[in-house]
Amino acid sequence: MSDDHTHVQEFFGARAADWDSRFPDDGPAFAAAVADLGLRPGDRVLDAGCGTGRALAPLRAAVGPSGVVLGADLTPAMLQAAVRAGRDRDGRLLLADVAALPLRSESLDAVFAAGLIAHLPHPVGNLRELARVVRPGGALALFHPIGRAALAARQGRQITADDLRAEANLGPLLARSGWRMTSYVDEDARFLALATRES
């Protein structure tokens, strides 16, 4: 396992048990972002880097009982926390690296990714892997329940010009990865970039 994986697993593994209690008010923001993804009943969707599975219930509600909801995460402790919270009832949980998903090409309609992009060791390749598993015309949502400036302030840092989530950086990054950015919102209450899988 690479150092990148070890660092991510250690960081989130140490925080998994109390992750949800640290962010108790994020539920409506997750639900609103899922609504903006435009899922339909019967769709197949992946929550990439699902953590404790906070998006799984709104994803299940969007695709209905005939849809497929998958949650993939690299950190066993996060998936265990999702199970303890009962969120495995809303989707199938996979211990998996988003850089090498155990899914067929073009097998999904959409990917939802909350807080993921900052943890990708190879953003172009990793986003290309997400594109691989989504059908042409399918959707991607890159989400965070607070905007870039608010997150930086919370972490005691400044936003830098090379921030991957800056609109000027993210659009070209997505384009190099098989996606076309269709919407970009970065405000205190949320960050949400939507993209469509190119054919």
Side-chain angles (χ1 to χ4, degrees):
M1 185 166 288
S2 77
D3 291 340
D4 292 320
H5 291 163
T6 301
H7 172 73
V8 168
Q9 287 180 316
E10 288 174 353
F11 179 88
F12 286 105
R15 291 161 177 79
D18 67 345
W19 188 260
D20 289 348
S21 64
R22 294 175 62 197
F23 310 105
D25 303 323
D26 286 350
F30 273 80
V34 167
D36 286 342
L37 189 52
L39 295 166
R40 296 172 305 219
D43 275 354
R44 299 152 299 169
V45 60
L46 169 69
D47 183 359
C50 68
T52 61
R54 292 180 294 167
L56 296 179
L59 289 170
R60 171 56 64 198
V63 303
S66 64
V68 173
V69 177
L70 303 172
D73 203 275
L74 188 64
T75 305
M78 283 297 214
L79 295 176
Q80 291 160 5
V83 170
R84 283 194 303 275
R87 294 179 181 135
D88 56 324
R89 292 189 298 265
D90 293 310
R92 181 173 170 219
L93 299 176
L94 306 171
L95 179 62
D97 182 356
V98 299
L101 290 164
L103 301 171
R104 291 189 330 271
S105 295
E106 300 184 9
S107 61
L108 301 174
D109 297 292
V111 172
F112 183 85
L116 178 70
I117 193 164
H119 301 286
L120 297 178
H122 307 289
V124 171
N126 300 153
L127 289 168
R128 192 172 287 139
E129 173 65 358
L130 295 181
R132 180 188 68 80
V133 299
V134 173
R135 64 170 174 77
L140 169 68
L142 299 175
F143 166 71
H144 202 282
I146 61 175
R148 293 186 311 128
L151 181 61
R154 178 190 286 175
Q155 296 172 342
R157 61 176 178 81
Q158 298 290 319
I159 296 177
T160 60
D162 63 348
D163 183 349
L164 290 179
R165 292 162 292 190
E167 187 171 10
N169 298 332
L170 187 57
L173 172 63
L174 287 166
R176 290 194 307 273
S177 307
W179 300 96
R180 178 176 51 84
M181 192 161 68
T182 58
S183 174
Y184 182 91
V185 175
D186 181 18
E187 53 198 23
D188 282 349
R190 75 169 175 169
F191 173 90
L192 181 64
L194 299 175
T196 298
R197 169 73 165 89
E198 297 280 41
S199 42

